[in-house]
Structures are given as C-alpha cells and as structure tokens.
Amino acid sequence: MAVLDPHPVLRLGVEVLLRPHSNLRVAASLSCEGDLLQLLERNPTGIDLVVVDALPLGDQGDGLALLRELSRRWPALPVLVLSAYCNASTVTSAMRAGARGFLSKSTPPEWLLRAINVVARGGRFVPPELRAELRLPHARNTRLPVLTPLSPRERQVLGLVLKGETTSEIAERWGRSPSTVSSQKSAAYRKLGIRGDCDLFRFRHLLECG
C-alpha cells in the first residue's frame, strides 16, 4: 500500500493504525504526486492500494487529474481518497474520476480500516453519513451517485466569479438585477455542496461534474 498526503503526521498516523494488521502494510509514504507516479512506473505490481489526499491542487495539477491518470494508467489499482473536505459533490467528483472509495479525515480509525478492506477487495466505499444523500444503501454498492446538474446560467455565473467579478459586475454585464445573479450563485453553491467563494476557488474542479 502507498499513502500520499502532504502532511507527515497524517501519513505516520495511518502507518501506526495499520501496524497491528499483518495483511495491511504501508510500503511507501509519499508527500507529492510525482513520487507516486514514479513509484508505480518503476514497480506497477508492488503497490496493491493507494490512500491519497487527492482533492487539493498538487504538483501534477488538480487532484481529479491525478485520479484520472491513476485510473487510466493503472485501472486495476484501487484508490481510496482520504480528505478533509467531505460532501456529496466532492465524493461524486472523486468517484467519477476513478476513486474506489472516499472517507473524511475526521472519521474514526475503525472506519478507515473498514474502507481499506472494502476497497482492497474490489468494493466501493463512501462515508456512512452521505450514503442516503448519494442513494448508496451500503458500502459495496457500485452505482455512482447522481447530483442535480448546474444550469448553463449557474455555470456561467460561477465562471465569472472565478475570474474575479462581483455579483454587481455580473448583473451589469447581463443587464439583470444583482438579486437574480445572487440567487443563481446561491443555487449553484447548494448543488455543489460548498459554502462560499473560498470553497469555490479551492474546488473549482467541481464545475467539471456539476
């Protein structure tokens, strides 16, 4: 197993958690995506599972790009995302990009062990608290979640926000009232499961699957 995360304490914590389990061994503890890709290129059969914090931007692009590359080049390799940002939209985007499982970093340790075992056996695992929202009644369900898509106008609004335009500037551009633009922006945020502009900039890749 390989663990990819920029935080050494978290990687060590995963190793310590797995030590009592002889069938679960961390063979590689990595801090950057490039090292993971090089490891897999050198020894593609030496790693049987990857635990990765794939959502933040990284040295090879955004986290979804990493998941897609892993899925494309090593389709049989199970990937479990362990992230501090856990909501229906981030889970959906990660699973669609190739992850087999997703878990919050705030989850109890026993859930991480269960998720690793499920994913290693070929199943899918999503956070228990999100299964109802994602319409996944149990951990092994392989059906991908379906979220309400963004409307073309909502997508345009978010695109302009990402370019730095304010609600008033967007309203003036389109000849609409600021309240109308604000309503479209709020609706898009609800669909993506984000709370404000800071989340939007951090998770702008969600526009790919919204």
Side-chain angles (χ1 to χ4, degrees), residues 35-80:
D35 290 343
L36 174 63
L37 296 176
Q38 290 177 14
L39 173 65
L40 293 173
E41 288 167 354
R42 291 195 307 267
N43 186 15
T45 62
I47 299 297
D48 56 6
L49 186 145
V50 176
V51 177
V52 56
D53 181 2
L55 291 180
L57 298 181
D59 57 342
Q60 298 294 321
D62 69 55
L64 291 183
L66 171 64
L67 292 177
R68 293 191 190 99
E69 182 167 5
L70 292 173
S71 179
R72 177 180 61 84
R73 297 177 64 182
W74 299 281
L77 178 66
V79 178
L80 172 65

Side-chain angles (χ1 to χ4, degrees), residues 114-128:
R114 182 172 180 182
I116 289 173
N117 281 313
V118 169
V119 170
R121 293 197 300 267
R124 291 183 182 272
F125 190 97
V126 298

